[in-house]
Amino acid sequence: MVIDYQILADDKDITAKIKAALVSLTITDTTGDHADGLSLHLADYTDSLKFPESSAKLNVHLGYKDNLHDFGFFFVDTMSYRYPPSVLSLNANSVPFAASNTYKAMQTQQTRSFDNITLASLVDIIAKEHGLESSVIPGLGKIQIEHIDQTDEGNIGFLYRVVRQHGCTLKPTHTKLVVLDEKGKNAKDEDILTLTLDLKQISQLSYSSKKEAKFRSVNAKYHDVDSAETKKVTVGSGQPEFALSWTYENEAAAKAAANRELKGYALDIDSLNITTIGNPDIIAGAPIIIKGLREDIPQDWYVKTATHSLSKQGYQTSAQLTLKQLNE
């Protein structure tokens, strides 16, 4: 297979220029509400390359001849130059927080309240205020929020907070506010196809398992409407205990949030890191099975972070894996 890639800058194909100067290209694809990242290092011994415009939009496809994976859009936010040798470097993120007027406006603090509203409606209201689209997985969109206050918060920070409280993930793009569910689902609420790798395809593998979770119990506060008091609910048992900082709208929401947090700590007991020949199908959130793995190591995993690296040495993919589910 022939390694190949394509890069568009503001819809203009610059692949030929990049290929003539490429030192390395790295794409970091991650779950959670972290922005995905792109890093480019280019040799410029004749000073013929120019710094791109700040916030230039790069669309990157990577993979193999006639089979390129679209890794989406990245917006340049940092540029640097080093001599000797003459190397131009740039970093870009999947969300234009620094340069976009839209996302700058979303950081302006506001104070207001929302009552008896679904999560989908809340996200849609804020998206429309900034000329964006909203995309919320249907099951999550039905989550009912009895009351929530936005107090001296920007809209983007407020949404991050609300979405985290309900165990979801906010993944903004340059055109949409996307709310995702647990790992293994894409923005259309479709299952991401399970990848199967043979142990022989993996050049490096490391597994670790802690004796116990970082926290054995989690507590969360909630507002009791009947008594007008702030109360606490605890899931799990024993020390150490972790306290969630938010105050939830009711006991059910607080308990659900505490359960999700405790499950996350339990899943992180086991971790698996792998490196393999470049594989563009290894993406964040994808379920993955490794054939030939020792029987005393858990067998079902999700990709937490995938890093795709291209250089003169070739194309390789490294992935941090987290457990798909707890062993019963």
Side-chain angles (χ1 to χ4, degrees):
M1 295 187 293
V2 179
I3 299 168
D4 199 11
Y5 61 94
Q6 180 187 47
I7 299 179
L8 304 179
D10 295 325
D11 301 321
K12 181 180 179 181
D13 195 330
I14 61 169
T15 309
K17 287 185 177 180
I18 298 297
K19 285 186 175 181
L22 185 70
V23 175
S24 66
L25 178 157
T26 303
I27 296 172
T28 303
D29 181 30
T30 182
T31 56
D33 49 25
H34 301 289
D36 299 331
L38 167 69
S39 176
L40 273 174
H41 298 283
L42 306 171
D44 189 22
Y45 305 131
T46 60
D47 292 336
S48 58
L49 297 177
K50 303 297 182 184
F51 281 113
E53 293 291 331
S54 179
S55 78
K57 181 176 69 173
L58 305 179
N59 183 206
V60 182
H61 296 74
L62 174 64
Y64 296 90
K65 197 77 172 179
D66 301 323
N67 185 26
L68 298 181
H69 178 85
D70 184 356
F71 281 92
F73 293 94
F74 299 88
F75 298 83
V76 177
D77 62 9
T78 305
M79 295 171 286
S80 61
Y81 175 75
R82 186 180 74 249
Y83 177 85
S86 187
V87 175
L88 188 155
S89 301
L90 62 87
N91 292 311
N93 288 308
S94 57
V95 186
F97 287 119
S100 164
N101 289 330
T102 296
Y103 282 100
K104 285 181 180 178
M106 292 187 75
Q107 297 176 53
T108 300
Q109 293 182 337
Q110 295 193 51
T111 296
R112 54 180 168 174
S113 298
F114 298 90
D115 293 291
N116 297 317
I117 190 171
T118 63
L119 182 61
S121 296
L122 177 61
V123 175
D124 193 54
I125 287 172
I126 292 178
K128 287 179 177 177
E129 288 177 349
H130 298 280
L132 298 170
E133 298 178 38
S134 65
S135 176
V136 184
I137 288 178
L140 301 176
K142 296 177 183 178
I143 293 175
Q144 189 73 29
I145 301 172
E146 295 180 9
H147 175 86
I148 193 162
D149 295 315
Q150 180 179 359
T151 305
D152 292 331
E153 283 181 288
N155 280 338
I156 190 67
F158 173 64
L159 273 185
Y160 272 124
R161 176 168 69 86
V162 174
V163 167
R164 286 185 189 123
Q165 284 181 0
H166 291 88
C168 316
T169 296
L170 177 67
K171 293 285 281 190
T173 73
H174 63 297
T175 59
K176 290 183 180 182
L177 296 177
V178 181
V179 178
L180 301 172
D181 198 352
E182 297 290 331
K183 299 159 289 189
K185 296 281 187 178
N186 62 20
K188 297 179 181 179
D189 199 22
E190 300 168 336
D191 290 332
I192 299 176
L193 293 178
T194 299
L195 297 172
T196 301
L197 296 180
D198 193 285
L199 189 61
K200 296 177 182 177
Q201 296 174 271
I202 296 172
S203 57
Q204 291 184 338
L205 180 148
S206 63
Y207 166 73
S208 66
S209 180
K210 303 172 187 175
K211 293 299 182 182
E212 61 180 35
K214 183 177 180 181
F215 293 97
R216 299 179 66 86
S217 57
V218 175
N219 71 66
K221 298 175 290 185
Y222 67 93
H223 179 70
D224 189 300
V225 176
D226 295 331
S227 65
E229 295 178 343
T230 298
K231 295 186 177 180
K232 183 177 77 170
V233 62
T234 300
V235 299
S237 61
Q239 299 294 328
E241 181 179 274
F242 180 77
L244 295 173
S245 58
W246 316 116
T247 299
Y248 294 86
E249 62 267 23
N250 55 48
E251 182 179 7
K255 188 173 182 179
N259 269 313
R260 283 189 293 268
E261 192 76 15
L262 186 62
K263 181 181 178 181
Y265 285 125
L267 289 174
D268 283 342
I269 288 176
D270 292 78
S271 64
L272 187 67
N273 295 326
I274 63 170
T275 299
T276 183
I277 187 171
N279 186 339
D281 293 328
I282 299 178
I283 59 174
I288 188 166
I289 295 173
I290 301 173
K291 294 176 63 177
L293 196 61
R294 289 173 55 110
E295 292 183 358
D296 52 353
I297 293 177
Q299 302 294 304
D300 293 330
W301 300 86
Y302 275 117
V303 178
K304 186 174 184 178
T305 300
T307 302
H308 298 268
S309 303
L310 178 65
S311 68
K312 292 180 180 179
Q313 284 68 48
Y315 171 29
Q316 72 173 23
T317 300
S318 299
Q320 297 177 340
L321 310 183
T322 185
L323 283 176
K324 182 176 178 181
Q325 61 186 11
L326 294 173
N327 292 325
E328 301 297 337

